[in-house]
Amino acid sequence: METELSRTLGIEHAIFGFTPFPAVAAALSRAGCFGVLGAVRYTAPDDLARDLDWMQEHTDGRPYGLDVVMPAKKVEGVSEADVEAMIPAGHRAYVRSVLAEHGVPELAEGEASGWRITGWMEEVARSQLDVAFDYPIGLLANALGPPPPDVVARAHEHGVLVAALAGSTRHARRHAEAGIDVVVAQGYEAGGHTGEIASMVLTPEVVDAVSPLPVLAAGGIGSGEQIAAGLALGAQGVWLGSIWLTTTEAELHSRALTAKLLAAGSGDTVRSRALTGKPARQLRTEWTDAWEDPAGPGPLPMPLQGLLVAEAVSRIQKYEVDPLLGTPVGQIVGRMNSERSVRQVVDELTRGFEKAVDRIDRIAGRSAS
């Protein structure tokens, strides 16, 4: 499953696996794919350095990358406290009422919420990059489009390719103009923040729009047959995220959440602003329903919503309150019905790819089998 991009990066399979878990990223790289570690949860540079040290020891010298979240434009002079002060009291009261309705316990006294929006702030992302460029990462990806120009230049000085996610051809052209090396065409089916165009439509549009830049197909992909389709549409690889959530190496730390993912069908997700303030595909839960309720105040814009619900999300996760418990995940969750190792998933993907290619060869009369 080689393409020009995969050969450039020195990987066997043109599969790019995004994950917040170092063990999953390392296993992907060892399996001949390209593991991409999500950095948004690392608010302390030392924690990121610790896990990159671990990656160095467990990737067998194979290449890997890092995914950060930073805006192309910086807003000066605004602190997290300033943003917190903008949250209306009515929204805080609504969060308390939803949690009380479901009997969600408080965190222990002095215990901080485990998830904060601070990982989305540019100064945090820059501190992550100060650490990352001390390691031999092969790719730097940004989930919010192209990083600022100085970051792109700095990556190129270190010989690091830069990728950016795009949900439309307009975004993709903007990325190309910003000097991005790889465009990830992320379709509507994807987990997390995503646009409104399906991957089958988006991928060839982006391929044409940014040619000759390489494009990775993303969104709803979780089988080898879908990988073959993405490459047939002109992509030079695929970007997979959700499929790794139920692997044995994933560190969800919640059997209840894993069970919900394994039981969910492809229709059990929703694009909701409940988590961050921007539309993000996630499991549909009573939490997402509450933020769609016309009787409620509705979600705030990003980053206010993320700060508003940070403690609530931590409480829901810690106490595994099933009706409210969810996570960002794509429509491919309907195929995630068993726990397998990363290697087993990769083997299944490559076998499915080979079957799809053989099938097309037979249709085209290129195979005697």
Side-chain angles (χ1 to χ4, degrees), residues 339-358:
E339 290 185 81
R340 296 165 293 164
S341 69
V342 167
R343 172 68 73 170
Q344 288 174 316
V345 174
V346 171
D347 287 346
E348 182 178 292
L349 292 174
T350 56
R351 286 195 301 269
F353 175 81
E354 290 168 358
K355 289 179 181 178
V357 172
D358 287 345

Side-chain angles (χ1 to χ4, degrees), residues 163-184:
L165 276 66
S168 70
T169 54
R170 178 172 57 87
H171 294 155
R173 290 191 184 98
R174 187 185 307 157
H175 298 355
E177 292 167 358
I180 297 302
D181 304 292
V182 181
V183 176
V184 181

Side-chain angles (χ1 to χ4, degrees), residues 18-79:
F18 164 77
T19 174
F21 308 123
V24 174
L28 280 161
S29 293
R30 292 196 306 271
C33 306
F34 195 92
V36 181
L37 178 65
V40 70
R41 68 191 181 99
Y42 294 99
T43 54
D46 288 348
D47 291 340
L48 177 59
R50 176 202 64 216
D51 281 357
L52 288 177
D53 284 338
W54 187 92
M55 290 279 292
Q56 282 292 104
E57 296 172 3
H58 293 84
T59 49
D60 294 344
R62 303 290 186 90
Y64 62 91
L66 192 73
D67 180 278
V68 297
V69 178
M70 61 191 313
K73 296 180 180 179
K74 183 176 182 178
V75 179
E76 299 283 355
V78 178
S79 67

Side-chain angles (χ1 to χ4, degrees), residues 31-275:
C33 306
F34 195 92
V36 181
L37 178 65
V40 70
R41 68 191 181 99
Y42 294 99
T43 54
D46 288 348
D47 291 340
L48 177 59
R50 176 202 64 216
D51 281 357
L52 288 177
D53 284 338
W54 187 92
M55 290 279 292
Q56 282 292 104
E57 296 172 3
H58 293 84
T59 49
D60 294 344
R62 303 290 186 90
Y64 62 91
L66 192 73
D67 180 278
V68 297
V69 178
M70 61 191 313
K73 296 180 180 179
K74 183 176 182 178
V75 179
E76 299 283 355
V78 178
S79 67
E80 182 180 345
D82 295 330
V83 178
E84 285 265 18
M86 301 177 189
I87 298 174
H91 279 74
R92 295 189 185 279
Y94 186 67
V95 170
R96 291 194 295 271
S97 70
V98 174
L99 296 178
E101 178 184 351
H102 291 275
V104 183
E106 299 276 355
L107 295 176
E109 185 175 353
E111 182 179 358
S113 60
W115 179 81
R116 297 290 287 173
I117 202 69
T118 48
W120 295 77
M121 301 179 75
E122 182 179 342
E123 59 265 32
V124 175
R126 286 185 177 273
S127 70
Q128 294 166 349
L129 294 178
D130 289 339
V131 171
F133 286 132
D134 287 336
Y135 294 82
I137 60 173
L139 180 77
L140 173 67
N142 186 30
L144 291 182
D150 67 294
V151 173
V152 175
R154 187 178 177 190
H156 288 164
E157 288 170 2
H158 284 81
V160 177
L161 297 181
V162 180
L165 276 66
S168 70
T169 54
R170 178 172 57 87
H171 294 155
R173 290 191 184 98
R174 187 185 307 157
H175 298 355
E177 292 167 358
I180 297 302
D181 304 292
V182 181
V183 176
V184 181
Q186 179 176 265
Y188 169 86
E189 308 94 328
H193 296 126
T194 186
E196 299 181 352
I197 305 173
S199 57
M200 183 64 72
V201 174
L202 181 66
T203 301
E205 285 187 350
V206 171
V207 168
D208 290 343
V210 302
S211 179
L213 286 185
V215 172
L216 300 178
I221 300 174
S223 73
E225 291 83 355
Q226 290 171 306
I227 294 174
L231 299 188
L233 293 172
Q236 289 199 31
V238 292
W239 178 275
L240 310 183
S242 297
I243 196 71
W244 315 115
L245 288 173
T246 52
T247 56
T248 53
E249 292 91 345
E251 303 162 18
L252 283 180
H253 302 304
S254 171
R255 294 306 305 172
L257 181 54
T258 298
K260 291 188 77 169
L261 289 169
L262 294 173
S266 57
D268 293 327
T269 69
V270 63
R271 285 174 76 242
S272 170
R273 295 170 54 211
L275 186 60

Side-chain angles (χ1 to χ4, degrees), residues 243 278 319:
I243 196 71
K278 288 185 66 177
Y319 299 110

